[in-house]
Amino acid sequence: MHFAHPNFLWALLIIVPLIIWYILKLRNGDATIALSTTQAFASIPKTWKQYLRHVLFLLRLATLACLIIVMARPQERDSWRTTSTEGTDIVLAIDVSSSMLARDFKPDRFTAAKEVAAKFIAGRESDNIGLVIFAGESLTGVPMTVDRAQLLQYLQNLTMDVLEDGTAIGDGIATALNRLKEGKAKSKSIILLTDGSNNTGVVAPVTASEVAKELGVKIYTIGIGTNGSAPYPQRTLTGRIEFQPQPVVIDEATLRTIADSTGGKYFRATGNRVLEDVFKEIDALEKTQMDVRHFSHTEDNYMMWAWLALVFFLLEIALRYTVLRTIP
């Protein structure tokens, strides 16, 4: 049996001082008559009513105890079972180069990528997730954590001007691998999202993928950008940013090689809806079991105590005014 409000049970301690008060009352509360001798009454036996009169007090205590238990709300729970789980370590590596402002996605590639990544993170309740950003260099945005609020807050505040411009895909993978070393899960993966080709950085993308393969890390690569041309941001001589159509160039061959060599998969996202579908597919591929404790239901079970309190109270009243009635 469980109690919804177990602290109420402390009130049962009041029964102790009530018993002490009752004993003291019996000693000092009897009427007395001064007699020269009580020898004439010595042979008179005590009746059963003299012993039964204490039952009234016991019934009062039982009524009080039952009412306190009712206030504590006794409950019964059905049987439960536990299923085991094993989380996954995942690092999201997101391209934040200036080309991610291209408007072939609504409102642009960068914002669309952040929104879809946020939905993905929110749905991975049992996983350890980290965030890495890269452009001309790479940076750990959020180390491996299960704190969804921290991850989502970082994504919401992420802007494009935090790194030197460029596309260092290999460096992004290398930084993500360093973060995954902190994780303890058996399954480890990187989701890398970029819209271009590697053109800078210290580590070559293929070299980074070979290291990932040795470490047992799968890499899912996503090439983001429509087919043909897209409006890219261009800074004019006056400092203004204008959008001019330019060919979309993504090194799909390298991204596919990275994914295939590590046991991952390459995706091409040509629009907002396709990008959402890509993350849904990755979510399905990286499903994990969860530790779940199942209870069928919890049910209050205080009616028995309420009925007992009523029975004790009515029995006390009945005895007090019938069999154990006293004359003042």
Side-chain angles (χ1 to χ4, degrees):
M1 180 180 294
H2 302 268
F3 294 91
H5 307 294
N7 289 334
F8 277 105
L9 296 177
W10 287 104
L12 291 172
L13 294 176
I14 199 174
I15 293 177
V16 176
L18 288 176
I19 293 174
I20 296 174
W21 168 81
Y22 182 75
I23 294 173
L24 294 175
K25 180 183 176 183
L26 288 179
R27 287 182 177 179
N28 304 319
D30 292 337
T32 59
I33 299 177
L35 297 173
S36 59
T37 178
T38 60
Q39 186 176 1
F41 304 98
S43 60
I44 300 176
K46 291 185 179 181
T47 66
W48 60 271
K49 289 186 179 181
Q50 287 178 286
Y51 296 102
L52 196 59
R53 64 194 178 107
H54 300 300
V55 172
L56 296 176
F57 178 68
L58 295 177
L59 289 173
R60 181 71 58 89
L61 292 182
T63 302
L64 177 61
C66 289
L67 290 176
I68 292 173
I69 293 175
V70 168
M71 290 189 295
R73 281 184 60 193
Q75 297 176 330
E76 289 185 351
R77 291 178 179 174
D78 289 343
S79 60
W80 51 269
R81 60 187 178 88
T82 302
T83 56
S84 60
T85 184
E86 180 183 317
T88 298
D89 291 339
I90 301 175
V91 173
L92 293 175
I94 301 177
D95 190 343
V96 294
S97 59
S98 60
S99 59
M100 286 289 288
L101 290 174
R103 293 183 174 176
D104 48 348
F105 285 65
K106 301 297 180 183
D108 54 56
R109 295 173 181 174
F110 179 65
T111 304
K114 289 203 303 178
E115 291 176 352
V116 175
K119 292 180 181 179
F120 177 83
I121 290 172
R124 308 290 299 195
E125 296 181 356
S126 62
D127 296 325
N128 202 22
I129 299 178
L131 278 172
V132 167
I133 57 173
F134 66 94
E137 53 190 340
S138 61
L139 174 70
T140 298
V142 181
M144 304 297 294
T145 180
V146 294
D147 188 344
R148 300 291 172 269
Q150 181 184 1
L151 291 163
L152 296 175
Q153 184 68 32
Y154 180 83
L155 272 179
Q156 182 180 354
N157 297 331
L158 181 60
T159 59
M160 298 288 300
D161 54 357
V162 292
L163 296 176
E164 180 183 351
D165 202 15
T167 305
I169 295 175
D171 287 8
I173 296 174
T175 301
L177 289 173
N178 284 332
R179 297 287 70 80
L180 284 172
K181 290 180 181 179
E182 305 166 5
K184 297 181 180 180
K186 294 181 180 179
S187 177
K188 301 177 184 289
S189 58
I190 297 172
I191 301 175
L192 183 138
L193 187 147
T194 183
D195 68 342
S197 304
N198 189 81
N199 54 27
T200 187
V202 178
V203 182
V206 175
T207 301
S209 66
E210 291 173 353
V211 175
K213 180 180 179 180
E214 292 179 2
L215 295 175
V217 177
K218 289 183 291 185
I219 302 178
Y220 297 95
T221 54
I222 304 173
I224 180 171
T226 188
N227 294 315
S229 62
Y232 282 85
Q234 296 289 331
R235 189 175 296 277
T236 64
L237 295 177
T238 60
R240 293 179 55 192
I241 294 180
E242 296 181 352
F243 288 84
Q244 301 292 336
Q246 293 183 16
V248 175
V249 180
I250 300 175
D251 190 355
E252 291 190 277
T254 298
L255 295 179
R256 185 174 285 105
T257 298
I258 293 171
D260 292 344
S261 64
T262 59
K265 190 175 181 179
Y266 169 69
F267 302 89
R268 177 66 185 272
T270 56
N272 292 67
R273 179 60 63 85
V274 179
L275 183 60
E276 291 182 7
D277 292 341
V278 166
F279 270 87
K280 287 179 181 178
E281 183 172 347
I282 295 175
D283 184 51
L285 291 171
E286 287 296 319
K287 277 295 181 186
T288 59
Q289 296 176 335
M290 297 180 65
D291 271 332
V292 181
R293 179 170 290 179
H294 302 278
F295 294 92
S296 58
H297 72 281
T298 300
E299 184 175 337
D300 286 337
N301 188 28
Y302 59 82
M303 287 305 299
M304 178 186 70
W305 300 100
W307 280 111
L308 283 175
L310 180 61
V311 169
F312 291 146
F313 176 73
L314 293 178
L315 184 58
E316 180 198 354
I317 296 298
L319 292 175
R320 186 179 297 276
Y321 292 101
T322 56
V323 178
L324 301 178
R325 183 176 59 179
T326 59
I327 299 176

